[in-house]
Amino acid sequence: MTIHERGRVTAILGPTNTGKTHYAIERMLAHRTGVIGLPLRLLAREVYDRIVRARGPSVVALVTGEERIVPERVQYWVATTEAMPDIAADFVAIDEIQLCADPERGHVFTDRLLKMRGLHETLFLGSDTMRPAIASLIPGVQFQRRDRLSQLTWSGSKKLSRMPARSAIVGFSVDDVYAMAELIRRQKGGCAVVMGALSPRTRNAQVAMYQAGEVDYLVATDAIGMGLNLDIRHVAFSATHKFDGRRVRPLFPHEMGQIAGRAGRHTESGTFGVTGEAEILDEGLIDAIENHRFAPIQRLTWRNSDLQFGTMDRLVESLEAPSGHALLGKGRDADDVQALKTLRELPEIRDRVRGGQDVRLLWDVCRVPDFRGISPAEHTSLLARIYGFLQDGAIPSDWLGNAIKRIDRTHGDIDAISKRLAYIRTWTYVAQRSGWVQDESHWRGETRAVEDRLSDALHAALTQRFVDRRTSVLLRRLKQKESLVAEVNDKGEVTVEGEFAGRLEGFRFRPDQTGSADEARMLNRASYEALRPEFHLRADRFYNAPDTELDYTEQGGLMWGASAVGKLVRGSDALHPGVEVFVDEEAGPEIAEKVKRRLQHFIDRKVAALFEPLLTLQKDEALTGLARGFAFRLVESLGILPRDGVAHEVKELDQDARGALRKHGVRFGQFTIFMPALLKPAPTRLRLVLWSLAEGLDTFPESPPPGLVTIPHIADVPEQHYTLSGYRPAGDRAIRIDMLERLADLLRTQDTRGGFEANPDMLSITGMTLEQFSRLMEGLGYAAEKGERAKVKAAEAPVAVPAPEGEASDAPMTEEESVLAAETRARWEAEQAEKRRLEAEAAGEPVEEAAPEMEVFYTFRWAPKSRPNRRPQGDGQGRRGGPRGDAAQDGPREPRAERQDRGERPAQGDRQGRPEGGRPNRERREDRNHGEGGKPRGKDNFKKGGKPQHNKPATFSSRPEKKADPDSPFAILAALKDKK
């Protein structure tokens, strides 16, 4: 084998990050013309941009498989190793020459190593492991070793959450890269992503984001091991195995050294280690990586480049020809050879291939890279379609346009955009081939534009998914120790440096919970630094705010507008609650104390205003003795006392004591002792809160809606909650205390022993139907007997009858007259019905008897529940037959003291109605033994002690028990109707 040498050949070998590529660029620009081959399209673009900045775009060409920029006066060619032009140039350089050992691409690098030479100078750049191979294959080569200017040291294993800034985490699958990137975003604010499958434009954008410091972390595949000069301080391996397209194998030591060597830059030292589930490296491997001492490469991948195109079989044979050199071995079949062998077996291809020209064209088609990576069969099918088009002249524009149109969509997730980007790279490569498309310039521009759009969309998708720009910006500003500008709008939304950071609720900052806990802590640190002035301004506004802007909730919360700024806590007593403020610790104790003072002033004034009668009662020093003790009980219960709980104390109060208490608005009701002013909605709402605080409840009872006379009675709710709300439970409803006392006034006028019916006033007070009222009365201790009767229609206006001489014509009807009028009306209606019936029978028509309209009524009687261990006190009847006693369960009788205050004579059995010594007054006893007009009562109507005896409940009838007065106008009216 003949190796042609031209000019000086130098191999510059050594570890990574020694500036070898930069040196090669300087040497090329020192010559008039030059060619440099690079392993990655991304790196080629980076070198192209650097030379363009130095020499201008008119003399620099960029040639890759998918991109071709060739000006007319080109002097310097920058290309991928596969696309290096075979031209005579003064200078030639090949980077990453150790890739000669790569099983897939190695034959290309080996071919360039053996054949590409510069007229004046040739440089091979790479690892020290290539030194023996180069020395054996290229006589006269000069070697230069470049050592690192900084140290590379092992740092052990670290969790991702503890990864230092400016780190690169390396994975070997797309799934691993995405998973680590997501975790970094949650814990560190975001990262850049670099993979070999990304387009150069996308990778450049991601790298630029990392280099600019927008993110401090880089998650990448082993693609960063080749030529990417990044500001990396630490490299962490998440795995030590990779899938090389055929099998999962351990990483070679020199591969790990190549990747780890990216840590450190120029004189700045770097570290490397492992993370995740990767095992700790053994000491020998660590030492080899730190000192860059690896076993030399013993075998280079080679493939014959002197091809025979007579037939497809001869082409395959020439590709598989041996090298004849011990260092040059045949690698595994690359994708192009596999595609050729597959197409050779297809009948439609064999029929179309007739000569060497067709074989050459077929080989060119087979060299189209499988960017899509779907499957070998799918790729081969596409190549066969392209070959068919090319044999007919060129790929049809309409077919190519439809294929590109299906790809030109920038919506979707990362995977969808990545697939479209891989597809368009195929057509970009096709458009770069001379003569394959009809309008080359158009399709090259079209495919490049689509690739750029998809690349930008992919970069945006990656950034949106794996970068939290808000946190990254804040951390970068903090790292630079710049003052941060925070703004709070009228909705409480906090923005720091234009990035939404959270919401300021009162004096507590609520960070935006879109990330992890670690991210929230970092955001808090940045936000609080900027919110310090805002806390002081807000505290001043709050302290000077009027009470109308403040309020309390039924659960004891203290509000400033819509923001919670504190809560009430238990104080020295129920009427003096304490305050606990909601102020972030970062705001400082001065802000917290200021807010606390303002809230304490607010609640103290609120209690003083709503409970003024109670506080005045508490401070009245004129109250002495029993009255002062009773006032203490009333204050302790916040203005409401059920009477049955203090019946003994009430009996012991004399009239002077009661009068003193009444001056403060205390009302001694039959069921409750209360202050009517404290039953209003506002005091009721506050009373429930104050009582709940004093009792230490976790959940406070809520006050009923204002304006309701009755509310549902829920069995699970304690009765004391209803009392504090101003209601008394009775049956399935609870009635408001003041309305219950009004009802009790009406009930005292009824015969509760004999039975009575509810009148409209009773129903009006309660706002209930008769059925609901019956259940309420049962809850108050009455028995409700349901009945049904024919409804008596209201009597029409009676016929005007001249009043007897000397009587007023507008005198009201007596009860007897009213009853007589009703009977007259009923009799007249019966006569009319009988008359209609007779007329219908005479006409032969069927007679329908109208059913009388019925109505439901209730009879209520006092039926208290038995009270064991209570001394009998007579039959409990008062003057009107109602129950007696001070407690509510003793019946609806008004307390004795209340009646005395109105000037009424005490009822029978009251001790205060007796003279001193306890003997009954003879005059009153005689009055009790006589009926109306002084006539003595019959013996049957009395029992011992002179009290009335009723053996049976009283019954009522619509017919009077005595005859009507014959001189009554109603009697005259009835007589006139009888005559008819």
Side-chain angles (χ1 to χ4, degrees):
M1 179 175 184
T2 304
I3 299 178
H4 303 282
E5 297 188 15
R6 302 176 187 176
R8 184 179 60 186
V9 179
T10 305
I12 302 177
L13 308 177
T16 55
N17 276 358
T18 57
K20 295 187 293 292
T21 304
H22 180 70
Y23 174 76
I25 294 173
E26 290 181 346
R27 292 302 305 159
M28 184 171 70
L29 295 180
H31 295 274
R32 188 178 63 85
T33 59
V35 178
I36 184 170
L38 301 155
L40 297 174
R41 179 186 174 194
L42 173 64
L43 188 55
R45 185 75 193 199
E46 180 182 336
V47 173
Y48 168 79
D49 292 338
R50 290 175 62 179
I51 298 177
V52 166
R53 287 195 296 269
R55 291 289 190 269
S58 61
V59 295
V60 186
L62 174 64
V63 180
T64 67
E66 303 143 70
E67 196 170 9
R68 186 178 180 86
I69 303 174
V70 183
E72 293 182 359
R73 298 184 299 108
V74 59
Q75 292 178 257
Y76 305 104
W77 296 77
V78 181
T80 54
T81 306
E82 288 85 347
M84 290 179 69
D86 188 9
I87 61 173
D90 295 338
F91 175 87
V92 170
I94 302 173
D95 196 14
E96 304 294 351
I97 196 64
Q98 72 274 6
L99 287 178
C100 289
D102 185 78
E104 291 186 359
R105 303 175 62 195
H107 65 276
V108 177
F109 285 81
T110 301
D111 182 75
R112 302 298 184 262
L113 174 67
L114 298 176
K115 297 183 178 180
M116 290 293 294
R117 296 292 183 270
L119 297 176
H120 299 291
E121 185 177 4
T122 301
L123 290 182
F124 298 124
L125 314 174
S127 172
D128 255 348
T129 56
M130 280 292 293
R131 186 183 185 102
I134 295 176
S136 176
L137 293 174
I138 305 175
V141 63
Q142 299 179 8
F143 291 98
Q144 291 184 11
R145 176 175 172 83
R146 288 197 168 223
D147 295 322
R148 286 178 62 99
L149 300 178
S150 61
Q151 290 184 343
L152 178 65
T153 57
W154 165 257
S155 64
S157 177
K158 288 185 175 68
K159 294 181 179 180
L160 282 178
S161 59
R162 297 182 179 179
M163 201 64 61
R166 311 310 291 173
S167 294
I169 300 94
V170 181
F172 298 97
S173 71
V174 174
D175 291 340
D176 288 345
V177 168
Y178 286 171
M180 291 187 294
E182 180 67 25
L183 189 58
I184 290 291
R185 184 194 71 83
R186 293 179 180 179
Q187 296 182 342
K188 302 294 185 179
C191 63
V193 175
V194 173
M195 297 184 295
L198 301 181
S199 68
R201 187 182 181 94
T202 303
R203 278 184 288 182
N204 282 341
Q206 290 287 304
V207 168
M209 183 172 61
Y210 174 80
Q211 290 292 88
E214 295 182 24
V215 293
D216 279 333
Y217 299 90
L218 179 71
V219 180
T221 61
D222 52 352
I224 67 166
M226 297 184 185
L228 290 178
N229 297 314
L230 302 173
D231 181 17
I232 299 174
R233 299 174 188 170
H234 178 75
V235 171
F237 292 90
S238 66
T240 56
H241 291 70
K242 66 176 288 187
F243 180 72
D244 62 0
R246 302 292 177 88
R247 62 187 176 89
V248 177
R249 62 171 177 82
L251 292 171
F252 297 132
H254 68 270
E255 291 177 323
M256 298 190 70
Q258 181 81 10
I259 298 170
R262 292 300 166 187
R265 188 174 179 88
H266 300 297
T267 59
E268 185 177 357
S269 298
T271 59
F272 70 100
V274 295
T275 187
E277 299 179 358
E279 297 180 356
I280 301 294
L281 305 183
D282 59 56
E283 294 183 0
L285 180 57
I286 293 173
D287 181 71
I289 295 174
E290 287 180 340
N291 298 291
H292 198 71
R293 289 196 298 263
F294 303 105
I297 295 175
Q298 302 292 335
R299 187 181 181 88
L300 306 185
T301 303
W302 178 85
R303 189 174 75 184
N304 183 26
S305 59
D306 186 13
L307 303 180
Q308 303 294 321
F309 295 103
T311 63
M312 290 186 291
D313 293 337
R314 289 183 62 186
L315 176 59
V316 172
E317 290 175 1
S318 63
L319 287 169
E320 295 181 342
S323 64
H325 196 287
L327 280 175
L328 305 178
K330 180 180 177 298
R332 64 192 183 199
D333 288 344
D335 291 341
D336 51 3
V337 176
Q338 290 182 5
L340 176 63
K341 290 181 178 180
T342 301
L343 290 174
R344 182 181 60 173
E345 303 301 326
L346 298 179
E348 60 270 23
I349 297 297
R350 298 185 69 88
D351 292 341
R352 298 180 70 103
V353 177
R354 297 184 178 88
Q357 199 68 23
D358 294 334
V359 174
R360 188 180 294 274
L361 178 61
L362 180 62
W363 175 240
D364 288 341
V365 172
C366 290
R367 296 174 68 185
V368 175
D370 185 11
F371 293 112
R372 301 183 303 168
I374 301 174
S375 68
E378 186 75 18
H379 181 60
T380 303
S381 176
L382 176 62
L383 296 182
R385 189 74 177 272
I386 294 174
Y387 180 70
F389 286 142
L390 295 179
Q391 276 202 322
D392 295 336
I395 299 175
S397 296
D398 55 350
W399 185 86
L400 182 59
N402 291 332
I404 295 175
K405 185 177 180 180
R406 287 193 298 268
I407 299 171
D408 189 12
R409 292 176 293 143
T410 58
H411 62 276
D413 57 13
I414 294 175
D415 291 336
I417 300 174
S418 297
K419 282 184 178 181
R420 297 187 199 121
L421 194 55
Y423 291 171
I424 196 61
R425 291 181 68 184
T426 299
W427 301 122
T428 302
Y429 184 93
V430 168
Q432 293 296 328
R433 306 282 74 77
S434 179
W436 283 25
V437 294
Q438 294 175 350
D439 189 349
E440 293 182 1
S441 61
H442 167 74
W443 290 118
R444 288 175 181 175
E446 185 69 19
T447 54
R448 176 65 183 274
V450 173
E451 181 179 339
D452 288 348
R453 285 194 291 271
L454 290 173
S455 298
D456 293 341
L458 181 57
H459 169 66
L462 289 170
T463 303
Q464 182 179 6
R465 179 172 174 181
F466 299 127
V467 177
D468 186 344
R469 287 192 176 276
R470 173 194 58 199
T471 306
S472 299
V473 168
L474 296 179
L475 291 179
R476 186 169 66 252
R477 292 298 181 93
L478 281 178
K479 185 170 58 179
Q480 297 170 356
K481 298 183 179 180
E482 295 182 6
S483 59
L484 301 177
V485 178
E487 296 179 355
V488 183
N489 62 17
D490 54 355
K491 297 180 181 179
E493 296 174 345
V494 180
T495 56
V496 181
E497 296 294 333
E499 299 288 340
F500 177 72
R503 194 179 302 275
L504 189 60
E505 299 176 356
F507 296 91
R508 292 188 297 186
F509 175 65
R510 301 297 189 192
D512 184 28
Q513 299 295 335
T514 57
S516 65
D518 291 336
E519 179 184 352
R521 284 195 295 269
M522 291 187 294
L523 190 60
N524 282 351
R525 186 181 65 182
S527 301
Y528 279 125
E529 191 70 26
L531 283 174
R532 294 184 192 277
E534 178 62 28
F535 277 127
H536 286 277
L537 293 175
R538 181 165 285 213
D540 291 340
R541 291 199 305 270
F542 175 72
Y543 196 82
N544 296 318
D547 282 355
T548 54
E549 294 185 8
L550 277 66
D551 197 6
Y552 62 93
T553 68
E554 295 190 349
Q555 296 301 314
L558 293 170
M559 307 296 292
W560 180 27
S563 302
V565 292
K567 68 176 182 179
L568 295 173
V569 296
R570 186 174 182 176
S572 57
D573 57 63
L575 292 175
H576 296 86
V579 168
E580 180 180 318
V581 297
F582 296 157
V583 178
D584 282 338
E585 187 175 337
E586 289 78 0
E590 180 183 351
I591 301 296
E593 182 62 28
K594 198 170 189 177
V595 174
K596 185 175 183 179
R597 286 201 310 270
R598 180 66 185 89
L599 289 177
Q600 193 67 59
H601 293 336
F602 162 73
I603 195 62
D604 289 345
R605 284 197 291 265
K606 183 66 71 173
V607 172
L610 297 181
F611 287 88
E612 181 181 2
L614 200 62
L615 294 174
T616 303
L617 176 65
Q618 185 182 35
K619 298 175 182 178
D620 188 358
E621 297 180 356
L623 294 176
T624 58
L626 294 177
R628 187 168 185 82
F630 195 84
F632 176 80
R633 290 288 302 272
L634 196 60
V635 171
E636 192 177 44
S637 61
L638 299 177
I640 298 178
L641 274 173
R643 183 155 186 153
D644 54 358
V646 292
H648 181 70
E649 289 89 337
V650 173
K651 289 180 181 179
E652 293 181 350
L653 292 175
D654 57 21
Q655 289 304 307
D656 292 338
R658 292 174 184 247
L661 293 172
R662 286 193 183 91
K663 290 179 181 179
H664 289 281
V666 178
R667 179 178 176 185
F668 291 85
Q670 175 182 320
F671 295 92
T672 313
I673 315 299
F674 63 99
M675 305 180 80
L678 301 186
L679 294 183
K680 295 179 180 179
T684 297
R685 177 169 169 256
L686 182 56
R687 176 170 51 250
L688 287 170
V689 174
L690 297 178
W691 177 82
S692 301
L693 290 171
E695 294 295 321
L697 300 184
D698 294 330
T699 303
F700 299 177
E702 297 183 1
S703 61
L708 297 181
V709 176
T710 64
I711 58 176
H713 178 206
I714 303 173
D716 295 337
V717 177
E719 185 171 345
Q720 191 172 13
H721 292 184
Y722 286 100
T723 302
L724 291 165
S725 300
Y727 288 80
R728 179 184 177 88
D732 58 357
R733 305 288 292 180
I735 183 170
R736 210 167 71 201
I737 288 173
D738 55 344
M739 290 301 177
L740 178 59
E741 298 301 336
R742 289 180 57 186
L743 177 63
D745 291 340
L746 296 178
L747 294 179
R748 276 192 294 272
T749 65
Q750 303 298 321
D751 185 0
T752 58
R753 177 80 177 191
F756 66 94
E757 295 185 27
N759 58 41
D761 289 339
M762 298 177 186
L763 299 180
S764 175
I765 287 175
T766 60
M768 292 180 167
T769 63
L770 185 58
E771 181 74 23
Q772 295 171 335
F773 183 76
S774 67
R775 294 194 294 271
L776 177 72
M777 293 294 288
E778 288 176 343
L780 293 175
Y782 288 83
E785 299 178 4
K786 186 176 182 181
E788 192 174 12
R789 65 189 176 198
K791 186 175 182 180
V792 178
K793 297 183 179 180
E796 295 181 355
V799 179
V801 179
E805 186 176 353
E807 294 184 9
S809 61
D810 57 351
M813 290 191 298
T814 65
E815 182 178 356
E816 294 179 352
E817 291 172 343
S818 177
V819 172
L820 183 59
E823 288 184 342
T824 302
R825 176 71 179 180
R827 189 181 301 113
W828 178 81
E829 289 181 348
E831 291 176 355
Q832 294 298 316
E834 180 65 18
K835 181 178 179 181
R836 288 194 297 271
R837 187 183 67 79
L838 294 175
E839 291 177 352
E841 289 180 351
E845 297 177 355
V847 179
E848 295 182 0
E849 294 186 1
E853 184 177 357
M854 307 300 290
E855 66 176 355
V856 175
F857 68 98
Y858 284 87
T859 301
F860 301 102
R861 294 179 180 83
W862 176 244
K865 296 180 180 179
S866 60
R867 300 184 65 185
N869 301 325
R870 178 167 178 170
R871 187 179 62 183
Q873 296 183 5
D875 61 355
Q877 294 296 321
R879 290 188 298 137
R880 295 185 177 272
R884 57 172 294 178
D886 290 329
Q889 59 265 34
D890 290 337
R893 182 181 175 190
E894 187 177 18
R896 295 188 298 270
E898 303 297 318
R899 299 195 302 274
Q900 289 174 356
D901 292 338
R902 295 202 304 269
E904 294 184 7
R905 187 177 63 185
Q908 172 189 345
D910 286 356
R911 293 181 181 271
Q912 294 182 3
R914 299 178 181 179
E916 293 183 6
R919 297 180 60 85
N921 185 285
R922 181 182 300 275
E923 181 181 353
R924 292 185 59 210
R925 190 163 59 248
E926 292 176 354
D927 290 341
R928 288 199 301 271
N929 292 334
H930 291 75
E932 296 181 5
K935 296 180 180 181
R937 299 180 184 273
K939 292 183 179 180
D940 295 338
N941 293 331
F942 290 86
K943 69 175 183 177
K944 188 176 180 179
K947 296 183 180 180
Q949 175 70 33
H950 297 284
N951 297 325
K952 295 182 179 180
T955 57
F956 297 87
S957 171
S958 61
R959 184 180 299 280
E961 296 183 0
K962 63 179 182 177
K963 294 183 180 180
D965 185 357
D967 295 330
S968 170
F970 295 95
I972 298 173
L973 175 62
L976 292 175
K977 291 183 178 179
D978 291 338
K979 291 180 179 181
K980 295 182 179 180

